[in-house]
Amino acid sequence: MSADFDVCIIGSGAGGGPVAFALAQAGRSVVVLEKGPWLREGDFSKDEIGDCRRNRFVTDRRVEPHAVEIPEDGAWRTYPTPETGWDFWNGNMVGGASNLMSGFFHRLKPDDFRLKSAFGPVEGAEVEDWPITYDELEPYYDLVERVVGVSGRVVPHPHADRRSSPDLPFPPLVEHPLSSWIDRLGAEMGLHPFPVPRAILSAPAHGRGSCSYSRYCGSYGCATGAKGSSRAALIQRAVATGRCEVRAQCMARRIHTDAQGRITHVEYHEEHGKVGAVSARVYVVACQSIETARLLLLSTGPKHPRGLANSSGQVGRNLLFSTAAWGRASLPYRKFKPDEVEALQNQAPFINRAFQDWYSFTDETGTRMKGGTLELLFAHPNPISQAITAAYSGDDGVLWGWPLKKKLEEHFKGARHLLFEVFADWMPHPDCHVTLDPDVKDRFGLPVARVRVGKHPRNKVVGTFLAERGIEILRKLGGEELVMSSRGAPATNLLAGACRFGTDPEKSALDRDCRAHDVENLFVTDGSFMPTGGSVPFTFTIYANAFRVAEKIRAQLGG
């Protein structure tokens, strides 16, 4: 029986875009099913109410909730997400959440690929090494930098990456004067701040514009195409070959298999509920971890009674986030000299400095621990969210009336506000997983994903250690009103795991090429494949691995 396409890709974000681009460039016919709409640069504006307060780019939880399991009184209680404040939707459009990223493109370190071997097992955590090494993935990091477009400069420091190219392909973005202050402070403290590689074009390339320096970057779509989203950098170029078709507003509901266990076709809902189907020789699932696990669990068949690729029972297990820790400070103008105030008032949006001096560290017991990355940035310029922060900064609770007015004036006119974010490993945990909820349904009547967010105490230990170092840096920069948070809770905008790859079919869902152990024509290329997440944002590594897997798919197709 002939197939409609060589490859069917479900999801167009960081896991789907590289496969579509690489295989269309190689002459293969590709179809991409995307649940959300196909937006272009002209559809993106800097609208805090629409984009951030009302979340117009993500699925409405009231229409399509998840179910979340929360520990209460020693037991797990389940609630639909609208009742909890949790939200696991990160970007519902062609290109997915990559449209809204800040574009911090740090590579994983060699030890991230061998966390168990390098640091030992962690009691209560299901840590496993990756089945590939940094050196195997490095050429694809280099490829992403060129194809997607990464700006910055490589400087020597003790934690620098081992690279096959001497520098980044695009020059650095314009930096705020505060960057040089951080460099000087780092030298005084014996630390090594370094320029952050950004997936944002500093010069026009690949048919895309360069950065407009609007200050509104993370959480917003890019109106110039400078941000290296899957849509702008890869999908649009794949479509331009004439060999890639994108079917937007088409949500896959089930992947069908035959009596031998091979996939025959994908069934999907079109925008208004009409059901369609498409067939291919090879299928790629890249829906982001929670929805990838959900789709595979929904796709039962004669050879797959527990769900597709789930003979090991690993689909949905070991969902990963990034440890959420952060800190902030105000840099009040009254503390600084006139020329320093003038420098602080510069409106250049990017600091582009990070620290990896504590990527590993030794705790007070002498135990070597995996640490993480500290990323410095200005507080997001959204005025509503900044006003809320100011309103809650009173010593006696929420400010009102005249005190609030004065506080807002001081906040917006009397200081700059500096943040750091912590990126650190989320320990794979047996109580952090995805299943199907038996009661809650989506608008098509399908069971929604039920997400249990159990957390390992190591997350908070490492997050607190790093946050304390970040607070010290902010203090030495002249920061006041210092605040830090380290709850060991997840950063839900960073999702990985739940369909890990490995060499043992009993302990993993995918092989080292991200092909399902028990389904020859199925690959998974979003962050689901990751056994551990490392201590940097995931998107760069998802891109690189998806390009790696695209070569494996091309070889399997032959020719």
Side-chain angles (χ1 to χ4, degrees), residues 269-328:
H269 286 287
E270 298 178 1
E271 180 180 4
H272 299 295
K274 181 181 176 182
V275 176
V278 65
S279 63
R281 295 171 62 192
V282 169
Y283 298 81
V284 176
V285 178
C287 310
Q288 208 171 54
S289 292
I290 291 172
E291 290 301 296
T292 286
R294 177 198 182 201
L295 178 60
L296 295 177
L297 292 172
L298 284 170
S299 300
T300 56
K303 289 283 188 179
H304 310 289
R306 294 199 290 175
L308 204 56
N310 197 31
S311 59
S312 63
Q314 287 292 322
V315 171
R317 291 182 61 85
N318 296 302
L319 179 66
L320 301 173
F321 301 93
S322 180
T323 294
W326 57 271
R328 70 169 185 261

Side-chain angles (χ1 to χ4, degrees), residues 59 312 368:
T59 299
S312 63
R368 183 170 177 256

Side-chain angles (χ1 to χ4, degrees), residues 401-527:
W402 180 252
L404 175 58
K405 181 177 179 179
K406 294 298 291 181
K407 183 64 178 180
L408 292 177
E409 181 179 16
E410 175 188 344
H411 182 88
F412 286 104
K413 296 174 65 177
R416 291 304 298 268
H417 306 282
L418 189 59
L419 302 178
F420 65 80
E421 293 179 350
V422 167
F423 298 100
D425 281 271
W426 179 267
M427 289 290 107
H429 195 275
D431 272 329
C432 192
H433 57 63
V434 179
T435 56
L436 298 177
D437 193 272
D439 302 313
V440 184
K441 304 293 193 292
D442 70 6
R443 62 192 176 104
F444 298 119
L446 298 171
V448 305
R450 176 190 280 187
V451 184
R452 177 180 289 189
V453 189
K455 54 190 179 183
H456 194 280
R458 175 72 64 90
N459 302 342
K460 183 174 181 179
V461 171
V462 174
T464 300
F465 176 88
L466 292 167
E468 289 172 348
R469 273 74 196 158
I471 285 292
E472 183 63 18
I473 291 169
L474 296 186
R475 181 180 290 110
K476 288 183 179 295
L477 283 168
E480 296 184 355
E481 298 180 322
L482 296 155
V483 177
M484 64 168 267
S485 173
S486 175
R487 298 180 292 117
T492 57
N493 63 316
L494 295 172
L495 289 170
C499 202
R500 61 168 50 172
F501 73 161
T503 56
D504 185 348
E506 296 299 316
K507 295 182 179 180
S508 57
L510 312 173
D511 68 15
R512 71 189 314 274
D513 295 334
C514 293
R515 180 193 296 105
H517 285 298
D518 52 3
V519 190
E520 181 188 4
N521 59 341
L522 172 65
F523 293 79
V524 176
T525 59
D526 59 17

